[in-house]
Amino acid sequence: MIAPKALLLDFGGVIVETVKRTTWRAELAAELHALLGRAGFGGLTVEEIESDVRAGAQADSFWKDSTSRQYAPEEMTHRRFWAEFVATDWPEQARALVTAEATPLCRRMGELRSRREVRDGMKELLAACWEHGVRPAVVSNALSGAVHRDFMAATGLDHLVAVQVYSDEVGVRKPNPEMIMIACRALGVEAEQVWYVGDNHDRDVVCGARAGVGASVLMRSRSTEEIPYRVRQEPHATVDDPHGLLNLLERTWT
């Protein structure tokens, strides 16, 4: 494996470990009910809103799996998610309101949906990259990249990466190779000069292969074995955690 000039990292499962919060749907439904009430709409109960939020999130999950079979998928817009996945059959005023508020609602959904913790060894990995002239970056699918940016800033990780690329902000999503190419252009490197590290076979490994990266590395997470369907592409290496990734990099620096 080549010594990379840049290290592109997925967010969830690589930089952070995420754990779903079981109460997020009810909490978001209560906030939505209050939002609708302030606009003078009272035609939906909290329970009805929660049911549709649940259905929308499930439909979105199915949609994400389907896009992994496309070569160059585009990302779901915030407005489309709320108008077509959640509020499809809501009365016109309610549907119009959540569509208008789609971006902050996606952000709030992202804040409520999961707890995030920086994976052990990640800060040491990023610091070592800078010491050896390797520029780290984030390349990640996201319904709300703003949530990830907030987390990176709150933990100080934003100062340890050169650029952050999120699918909702650029309009395409992995395994679209353009996700990686955007980061490469921003860093002034060629795809064959970088490593891409992700935790999923169907999105990350495939994306790295399509972009022609120097090495595609699979980092195991809680979701790694949740494979919707088998893919032909294989990673160049598999590691358990950031410590394992650092060990792999160190072999190229000696």
Side-chain angles (χ1 to χ4, degrees):
M1 294 173 66
I2 65 160
K5 291 187 176 181
L7 183 69
L8 311 184
L9 302 166
D10 192 13
F11 181 79
V14 174
I15 293 176
V16 304
E17 195 67 85
T18 61
V19 178
K20 286 291 193 307
R21 299 179 64 253
T22 59
T23 59
W24 75 268
R25 300 173 192 83
E27 293 168 356
L28 184 59
E31 293 184 14
L32 278 168
H33 189 262
L35 174 67
L36 291 166
R38 290 194 295 273
F41 180 83
L44 290 168
T45 66
V46 173
E47 292 74 21
E48 288 172 329
I49 295 170
E50 182 180 352
S51 176
D52 287 336
V53 166
R54 182 184 300 275
Q58 187 64 50
D60 182 55
S61 179
F62 292 146
W63 177 83
K64 288 175 180 176
D65 285 344
S66 73
T67 62
S68 293
R69 290 297 298 168
Q70 301 173 32
Y71 182 83
E74 297 182 352
E75 182 54 277
M76 172 80 64
T77 67
H78 299 160
R79 289 170 60 85
R80 185 185 175 198
F81 173 77
W82 284 97
E84 298 185 12
F85 280 51
V86 178
T88 310
D89 294 313
W90 288 10
E92 182 179 0
Q93 182 189 354
R95 191 167 185 259
L97 180 60
V98 296
T99 304
E101 293 286 331
T103 293
L105 285 175
C106 282
R107 186 173 189 160
R108 186 60 179 145
M109 179 175 165
E111 291 169 345
L112 291 172
R113 187 158 52 177
S114 301
R115 290 186 289 104
R116 300 170 182 86
E117 293 184 0
V118 179
R119 292 197 66 166
D120 185 53
M122 180 51 62
K123 290 187 177 181
E124 293 82 358
L125 167 68
L126 296 176
C129 283
W130 287 109
E131 290 173 6
H132 289 83
V134 179
R135 282 162 287 171
V138 183
V139 176
S140 180
N141 287 346
L143 184 61
S144 177
V147 175
H148 299 346
R149 289 184 183 275
D150 288 346
F151 182 90
M152 295 288 286
T155 56
L157 291 176
D158 58 331
H159 296 300
L160 294 175
V161 297
V163 65
Q164 299 179 57
V165 179
Y166 296 112
S167 60
D168 69 310
E169 298 174 354
V170 299
V172 295
R173 63 180 283 111
K174 298 176 296 182
N176 191 328
E178 179 64 9
M179 284 286 288
I180 287 175
M181 300 313 298
I182 290 170
C184 288
R185 290 193 293 269
L187 296 172
V189 297
E190 300 298 325
E192 58 266 25
Q193 297 173 314
V194 311
W195 288 11
Y196 181 66
V197 186
D199 66 321
N200 292 123
H201 294 267
D202 60 307
R203 296 164 196 178
D204 299 316
V205 175
V206 173
C207 189
R210 289 177 179 173
V213 296
S216 179
V217 181
L218 183 71
M219 183 181 291
R220 294 188 181 93
S221 75
R222 292 188 178 95
S223 66
T224 297
E225 298 309 318
E226 295 174 6
I227 307 172
Y229 35 76
R230 293 288 175 182
V231 298
R232 291 189 180 89
Q233 296 86 341
E234 294 288 341
H236 292 88
T238 301
V239 297
D240 289 328
D241 51 37
H243 296 292
L245 180 58
L246 180 54
N247 290 337
L248 197 62
L249 280 166
E250 286 175 337
R251 295 177 199 170
T252 71
W253 295 335
T254 56

